[in-house]
Amino acid sequence: MKIISGKELAAKLKKNMAKDVSTYMARFGRLPKLSVILVGEDPGSVSYVTGKAKACQEVGILNNTIRFTDTITEAELLKKIEELNSDNTVDGILVQLPLPKHINESRIIEAIEKNKDVDGFHPLNVAALWNKNDCILPCTPKGIIKLLKSENIEIKGKNTVVIGRSNIVGLPVGKLLLDENATVTITHSRTQNLPQVASEADILVVAIGKPKFVTPDFVKQGAVVIDVGVNRDIETGKLCGDVDFEACAEKTSFITKVPGGVGPMTICCLIENTLECFLKHL
Ligand code: GUN
């Protein structure tokens, strides 16, 4: 069994990006800039946004985090996005989700200029992904494929099971695995005989948002298990994944841990997407 460290791979990739970015000022006369919008005080969201700002700093790109209280109206938020859309010094725009209930999330995502949508959440980006056209890849699925490839884990022809069907992770990671010629089963909390279905997977990706949801009966001997969960352990208050790591690890050939697994890769891919947007729109 080997623990795949997203933290280590992300650090290596960020170092390489920093090296590239150090040449940008001389080559292009300006630096890439990521604008992050955070509404409200949710501790999870605050911590994500802090991590994104820190990664920008590490790579040497510009970042501004724009904070609003959760009393902001949808119209005010749309106005800010419009401002960022037309600001030529801004290459990437990210609105941290979830948003307060009085704001229509889809309307906000649709308002972001498609070519600055570093999350890859805009419907035109999503459509491009599913149509096999050029697109900005969503960060978490992109990070998962990079993690698998970094360990030379063969994806082609493998039986892969995804638990979870969200727009952010489950559906797009299924699509990226398909594009790598895996056979993909996307499952969810209502799937019948889920442990049995999951235990047929060579590669199991879990993004269901329930602590310790995956127990050893979900895991085939020698499987690769990727844990995308970000939960708080009810007893300890600590960050934990969707997989009961202690119980499952020894059955796997490769497994990721929370924290230090997929999370750092998501942020790393966000920076990579920002550089891609910058280079495309010079
Ligand atoms: N909330 C949880 N994950 C994400 C993400 O990847 N992007 C944004 N914008 N919000 C999130």
Side-chain angles (χ1 to χ4, degrees):
M1 183 275 290
K2 178 174 179 197
I3 298 171
I4 313 176
S5 172
K7 197 176 163 190
E8 270 174 34
L9 179 60
K12 187 178 112 187
L13 296 174
K14 280 187 286 187
K15 212 169 143 195
N16 289 341
M17 287 191 277
K19 209 168 142 204
D20 273 353
V21 168
S22 69
T23 67
Y24 283 5
M25 204 57 194
R27 285 160 69 199
F28 310 121
R30 73 175 184 93
L31 290 172
K33 180 170 172 182
L34 172 66
S35 288
V36 175
I37 296 179
L38 171 60
V39 179
E41 313 271 334
D42 172 70
S45 293
V46 171
S47 130
Y48 272 123
V49 163
T50 311
K52 289 165 185 175
K54 186 168 160 266
C56 288
Q57 224 170 29
E58 283 169 23
V59 174
I61 68 171
L62 306 174
N63 161 253
N64 64 333
T65 301
I66 304 157
R67 290 193 67 163
F68 294 107
T69 63
D70 53 17
T71 56
I72 190 178
T73 64
E74 189 177 289
E76 285 168 321
L77 193 50
L78 287 169
K79 189 163 161 266
K80 177 45 87 176
I81 291 170
E82 208 36 65
E83 227 175 81
L84 297 173
N85 282 343
S86 50
D87 183 340
N88 284 330
T89 69
V90 172
D91 303 286
I93 303 170
L94 179 151
V95 179
Q96 187 63 31
L97 304 177
L99 289 168
K101 286 192 182 61
H102 67 275
I103 297 174
N104 182 323
E105 246 170 37
S106 304
R107 215 171 282 157
I108 298 300
I109 292 169
E110 281 168 33
I112 297 170
E113 157 64 36
K114 171 187 165 263
N115 297 319
K116 296 187 180 187
D117 170 37
V118 281
D119 259 333
F121 291 170
H122 191 285
L124 290 173
N125 266 318
V126 178
L129 170 68
W130 287 88
N131 285 331
K132 305 192 182 88
N133 291 329
D134 231 18
C135 67
I136 299 169
L137 291 176
C139 304
T140 300
K142 184 179 181 182
I144 291 170
I145 300 295
K146 278 184 193 284
L147 271 182
L148 294 171
K149 290 190 171 171
S150 78
E151 297 291 343
N152 296 315
I153 294 166
E154 173 107 288
I155 306 175
K156 184 175 76 179
K158 289 296 161 70
N159 194 19
T160 65
V161 172
V162 179
I163 306 181
R165 52 177 160 176
S166 72
N167 288 340
I168 294 185
V169 184
L171 292 180
V173 81
K175 173 66 167 86
L176 294 193
L177 289 166
L178 260 182
D179 290 347
E180 297 290 335
N181 300 307
T183 301
V184 181
T185 306
I186 298 181
T187 67
H188 43 83
S189 57
R190 291 189 184 81
T191 298
Q192 288 195 4
N193 306 322
L194 183 53
Q196 191 200 321
V197 175
S199 67
E200 283 170 21
D202 302 310
I203 300 172
L204 178 63
V205 180
V206 194
I208 188 107
K210 293 182 182 159
K212 297 192 178 173
F213 182 78
V214 168
T215 43
D217 52 324
F218 285 65
V219 179
K220 179 161 93 172
Q221 190 67 44
V224 176
V225 176
I226 306 292
D227 187 351
V228 193
V230 184
N231 312 297
R232 290 273 156 200
D233 188 306
I234 318 157
E235 284 156 27
T236 63
K238 282 191 186 155
L239 205 62
C240 71
D242 292 346
V243 176
D244 186 343
F245 180 89
E246 308 302 333
C248 295
E250 65 182 35
K251 248 183 136 175
T252 67
S253 56
F254 292 91
I255 187 167
T256 63
K257 221 173 174 177
V258 178
V262 174
M265 289 304 296
T266 298
I267 294 185
C268 176
C269 290
L270 171 69
I271 306 297
E272 193 179 280
N273 284 352
T274 306
L275 300 192
E276 277 174 25
C277 289
F278 168 81
L279 292 172
K280 235 184 215 168
H281 307 111
L282 281 168

